[in-house]
Amino acid sequence: MEMTAILLLVCFFTLLLINVPISISIALSTLLALVLHMDFTPAATTIAQQMIGGIDSFALLAIPFFILSGLIMGQGGIARRLIESAMAMVGFLPGGLALVNVMSCMMFGAISGSAVAATSAIGSFMVPEMKKHGYSENFAAAVTASAATTGMLIPPSNILIIYAIASGGVSIAALFVAGYLPGILLGLTLMLVCAIYSLKNNYPVAARLPLALVLEKVIAAIPSLLLIIIVIGGIIGGVFTATEAGAVAVLYALVLAVFVYKELSLDELPKLLLKACETTAIVMLIIAASSAMSWVLSYSHIPQMVSQFFLTLSDNPLLILLLINLILILVGAFIDMTPAVLIFTPIFLPVAAQFGMSPVQFGVMIVLNLSIGLVSPPVGSVLFVSCAVAKTSLHKIIRPMLPLYCVMFMVLMLVTYLPAISEFLPRLLGLID
């Protein structure tokens, strides 16, 4: 069994190092590991069956719907209205434009469900605006990248749906609601760091707007934010499932972008549909390959071995949970969030459960943890998108990223050791016992 794990890891990271796409790396390393237990033909057949079974889930239908709704919102003038509303509310505070950047990324990331989309849509406007007003482009890129990760926690979030499946059926509604407080807490702490950093570097402050203009900008953004209320309210109220909520989100986004804001023409829809199909195909292939790898790990009793190792290592839950977080942070620096959730949830969730952590709390913890990986070299996709938007290089934005990394880790520790942060709202609404 140890040989299976070693071969799996060596093959996987070797393929990654030679730039083989992650889904292919997962599938090939999984196949090679299974060949240790059986002949090639039955191994290949088993892998194919597990890949098909991994995506044969009604809940996964929500993902293409939320991807499409996010693309529609991104092209429909939503980002500009969110930025203007955030500017009206906090632009006059110390580091105003940095705070606007964080708030805008939080709102757009929540609506689109994609950290990369938030980085691209908000960053393409906010980074040049911050540079124009005297902010460092490296600081602007760091703020955009770190703030965009909040959308992974604030629903609707595709990665929480994937975790719900990987965990064996945790309530999607409970996970969605559980992500609110950690996501908002992360955003507020990032804003605090931005304010302190801006004061230290004497970055300019915008003028305070008249109250009437503030209200006008906020009201203009309300239709966009209503998407979150409709989706989450409908799921919690039992009006529709998470999958049906995705379809409702597409319809609402389409009406808003085409007929209300009138910034998206029907002629542009085929291009958006094609983009949504491409993104969905990539995500589903990763899910399928990761599901096969999870099955091979289970078949080889790797989760039980890991669980036993941790339980014999120490009986101190503080130490074990810290160790799990450190391992996941290292994993997140090399592996994309979706396969990491699918592969490591079956391994670490039983260990966390042994120390009293609920599946809902663990779900929020692992998503927040792996969100740090999105902005960590060498693989962090959000970090590279932010560098491209700001026209800067990776090594230049690491220094302004350091205080942001620190507060992200601090919030991660709070979520890990204080269950109420993620469980208060679900318990209040009766979604968990």
Side-chain angles (χ1 to χ4, degrees), residues 327-336 370 372-374 376-380:
I327 292 172
L328 287 173
I329 285 175
L330 181 62
V331 166
F334 291 93
I335 304 177
D336 190 59
L370 295 173
I372 299 175
L374 292 176
S376 300
V379 176

Side-chain angles (χ1 to χ4, degrees), residues 164-293:
I165 295 168
S167 63
V170 177
S171 166
I172 294 176
L175 287 169
F176 275 8
V177 174
Y180 273 113
L181 287 183
I184 293 171
L185 178 61
L186 178 59
L188 291 175
T189 54
L190 290 174
M191 291 174 71
L192 178 61
V193 170
C194 288
I196 294 172
Y197 191 95
S198 299
L199 284 171
K200 181 181 177 181
N201 290 276
N202 296 315
Y203 288 143
V205 176
R208 185 188 293 266
L209 297 178
L211 180 59
L213 186 56
V214 171
L215 291 175
E216 179 185 332
K217 298 295 184 183
V218 171
I219 290 171
I222 287 176
S224 303
L225 296 175
L226 274 177
L227 173 65
I228 301 174
I229 297 173
I230 292 171
V231 168
I232 304 304
I235 294 174
I236 294 173
V239 179
F240 37 68
T241 65
T243 301
E244 293 164 345
V248 170
V250 171
L251 181 61
Y252 181 83
L254 189 62
V255 171
L256 191 64
V258 176
F259 301 106
V260 178
Y261 291 157
K262 298 180 180 178
E263 296 196 19
L264 179 69
S265 67
L266 293 175
D267 293 338
E268 296 175 271
L269 279 181
K271 189 180 296 184
L272 289 180
L273 288 169
L274 180 59
K275 178 65 175 176
C277 290
E278 291 174 351
T279 305
T280 300
I282 293 170
V283 172
M284 289 302 178
L285 183 57
I286 291 174
I287 292 173
S290 301
S291 298
M293 179 179 278

Side-chain angles (χ1 to χ4, degrees), residues 58-225:
F58 181 73
L60 286 178
L61 282 173
I63 292 177
F65 285 129
F66 283 124
I67 288 173
L68 179 57
S69 68
L71 289 172
I72 293 172
M73 297 289 262
Q75 295 289 323
I78 311 303
R80 177 174 56 81
R81 287 171 174 82
L82 293 177
I83 291 170
E84 289 176 353
S85 67
M87 181 77 76
M89 289 188 285
V90 300
F92 62 92
L93 296 174
L97 284 177
L99 305 186
V100 170
N101 196 340
V102 175
M103 282 190 65
S104 302
C105 284
M106 286 176 65
M107 292 187 287
F108 190 82
I111 290 171
S112 67
S114 169
V116 172
T119 304
S120 179
I122 303 299
S124 61
F125 178 87
M126 286 305 307
V127 170
E129 191 72 12
M130 290 176 71
K131 288 170 63 177
K132 187 172 71 176
H133 286 82
Y135 289 77
S136 160
E137 69 269 18
N138 300 318
F139 174 63
V143 171
T144 305
S146 56
T149 62
T150 58
M152 299 294 93
L153 290 168
I154 303 174
S157 169
N158 289 336
I159 196 64
L160 288 176
I161 297 173
I162 292 171
Y163 168 78
I165 295 168
S167 63
V170 177
S171 166
I172 294 176
L175 287 169
F176 275 8
V177 174
Y180 273 113
L181 287 183
I184 293 171
L185 178 61
L186 178 59
L188 291 175
T189 54
L190 290 174
M191 291 174 71
L192 178 61
V193 170
C194 288
I196 294 172
Y197 191 95
S198 299
L199 284 171
K200 181 181 177 181
N201 290 276
N202 296 315
Y203 288 143
V205 176
R208 185 188 293 266
L209 297 178
L211 180 59
L213 186 56
V214 171
L215 291 175
E216 179 185 332
K217 298 295 184 183
V218 171
I219 290 171
I222 287 176
S224 303
L225 296 175

